Amino acid sequence: KMLVVILLFVALACAKPPGHSISGFSSGGFFAVQYQFAFSSELVGAAVFAGGPYFCSLGELDPLACATFPKLIELPILEAEAKYFADNGYIDDLVYLKQHSVYLFSGKNDYVVFTGVLEKLQQMYKDYGVPKITTEFTTEAGHSWPTLNYGSECGTTRTPFLTNCHYDGAGESLKAIYGDLADPVTPINGNVKYMNIKQFTPNQIEPSSISMNDTVVYYEPTHCNGNCSVHIALAGCLSSYSEAGLIFVEESGFNRWAEANNIVILYFYVVTSFSDPFNPEACWDWWGYTGVTSFATKTGPQMATIRNTVKYFQRNLPL
C-alpha cells in the first residue's frame, strides 16, 4: 500500500496540463491570436494582452485602426477572411476553437490598444463558439504586462512594458487556459536555457531575414521528464533582446508557474530591421511586413518557425 501511495504521489507531482498554448502582449497579442487560429487543432487556448481580432489589419501596412479605432473593425469582413483561409487549408478548421479556453486583458489606462479592440476580439471568440472566455478589463494598467510586484508604476506606459499592478498576469492567464494549477514556486535560474532556431525557419533561412532573433530562450522545469506542456510567451514591440534582455523572461511571472506545473515556456524574440523586412520597432508581424499574402497563415515565416520549434520541443523533452 505504501508503494501505491508513493507512486500516486509521484504521478501527481509529475502531472502536466494538456496540450500547448500561447500568450502575447501588444504586437505579440495580435500575433498570438493569428497563431491560435492557424494551428487551432494543436492548441488548447490563448491569452491575449492588448491584442485584437484575427487578421485585423487585413494585410494593410498601417494597422493603426486595429489598435485605436475599434468601431472601424468589421468582424463580418474579418470572419469571412478567416473562413476563406480555413476552407482553403491556410489555417486550421475554425471548429477547433470550440475546444479552447481564452484569457483577455486590457488595462483601463491603455491608450495604445483600446479596450474596445479586446471587446471586438471577445465577440469574435463568441462567434466561433469558444466555450470559456475570461476577461480582465478593470486593472488600472497602462499599455503593459501586469505583474505582482515588478516594473513601473501601474497605469504607466513605458519600456520595457512591465508594470507593478499587484496582479499576476502570467498566473491568471495560465489558470484561465489550463484550469486548476499548483501554487507557484521559486524558479531555478539554471533552468533558463537557450537554443538556436535557424534549424526551424522555412528552408533554414537566417532568422534575421524574417525579423526574428536567432535564439529562443526557454524555461525547462526541473521535473519535466518528457511530461511537460509547452506555452509560447511573446512580448511586444520595443522588447528585442538587445533592448530588453531577459526582463520579460525573468519578470513576467511565467517561470514560477512553469516550475510548479511542468510547463515549458518558450520566449521568442523579434529583432529590429530597417529594410526587407521593414520592422524598426521590433514588432511581431500581424500586418504583413514579412509577406502580405501569408503572414497570418500556417506558412507565414514567423508562424512556421515558432510552430516548428514547438514540435521539436514536444518530441524531444527533456532536452
Side-chain angles (χ1 to χ4, degrees):
K1 291 183 178 179
M2 180 62 70
L3 178 60
V4 171
V5 171
I6 292 172
L7 290 175
L8 178 60
F9 175 80
V10 171
L12 290 173
C14 295
K16 66 164 185 174
H20 84 280
S21 56
I22 187 169
S23 63
F25 163 68
S26 195
S27 70
F30 283 96
F31 187 93
V33 173
Q34 65 190 35
Y35 186 93
Q36 176 194 20
F37 272 60
F39 302 111
S40 59
S41 68
E42 303 172 13
L43 280 82
V44 297
V48 184
F49 293 71
Y54 177 76
F55 205 55
C56 185
S57 70
L58 290 170
E60 299 291 335
L61 294 179
D62 182 9
L64 182 62
C66 286
T68 56
F69 297 101
K71 290 184 178 180
L72 298 180
I73 299 174
E74 299 185 59
L75 290 184
I77 293 176
L78 301 182
E79 291 172 358
E81 294 284 353
K83 182 179 186 301
Y84 171 81
F85 288 153
D87 288 347
N88 287 276
Y90 301 137
I91 64 174
D92 282 347
D93 194 314
L94 297 166
V95 70
Y96 290 109
L97 293 170
K98 294 182 178 181
Q99 303 170 13
H100 287 203
S101 296
V102 166
Y103 173 89
L104 305 178
F105 180 92
S106 178
K108 289 178 66 176
N109 293 298
D110 188 339
Y111 303 112
V112 178
V113 179
F114 288 17
T115 298
V117 177
L118 275 292
E119 291 172 339
K120 283 293 182 82
L121 174 57
Q122 181 181 7
Q123 184 59 53
M124 175 177 272
Y125 282 131
K126 289 180 179 179
D127 292 346
Y128 288 120
V130 175
K132 182 185 176 186
I133 305 172
T134 302
T135 61
E136 176 49 60
F137 299 157
T138 63
T139 302
E140 297 289 340
H143 188 65
S144 64
W145 182 276
T147 75
L148 278 176
N149 52 24
Y150 177 86
S152 304
E153 181 181 355
C154 192
T156 59
T157 297
R158 63 171 69 102
T159 58
F161 303 108
L162 277 78
T163 51
N164 180 1
C165 290
H166 308 295
Y167 183 83
D168 187 359
E172 294 302 322
S173 60
L174 289 176
K175 287 188 291 184
I177 293 171
Y178 290 116
D180 291 336
L181 294 175
D183 290 340
V185 298
T186 302
I188 309 300
N189 290 339
N191 289 350
V192 175
K193 304 175 183 180
Y194 306 81
M195 179 180 291
N196 188 284
I197 63 169
K198 182 178 179 181
Q199 61 186 308
F200 306 123
T201 61
N203 300 315
Q204 297 188 345
I205 59 176
E206 289 295 335
S208 60
S209 70
I210 55 173
S211 205
M212 289 185 71
N213 193 293
D214 61 8
T215 300
V216 60
V217 182
Y218 64 98
Y219 187 91
E220 184 176 353
T222 302
H223 301 294
C224 191
N225 298 324
N227 190 38
C228 279
S229 295
V230 175
H231 180 77
I232 304 156
L234 307 177
C237 304
L238 302 173
S239 298
S240 67
Y241 187 83
S242 62
E243 293 174 287
L246 292 176
I247 290 177
F248 190 72
V249 174
E250 296 174 342
E251 305 295 348
S252 61
F254 279 118
N255 295 348
R256 49 202 294 271
W257 291 93
E259 181 66 22
N261 293 281
N262 284 344
I263 305 173
V264 173
I265 311 292
L266 303 182
Y267 300 95
F268 293 89
Y269 283 88
V270 186
V271 298
T272 57
S273 54
F274 296 94
S275 63
D276 196 24
F278 183 70
N279 183 27
E281 295 188 343
C283 300
W284 288 100
D285 185 14
W286 61 277
W287 63 85
Y289 69 74
T290 60
V292 171
T293 59
S294 68
F295 73 96
T297 70
K298 294 180 181 182
T299 59
Q302 292 179 355
M303 302 270 278
T305 298
I306 291 178
R307 193 249 186 174
N308 291 341
T309 308
V310 169
K311 288 299 182 184
Y312 176 86
F313 273 80
Q314 289 176 322
R315 289 193 303 266
N316 292 284
L317 286 169
L319 299 180

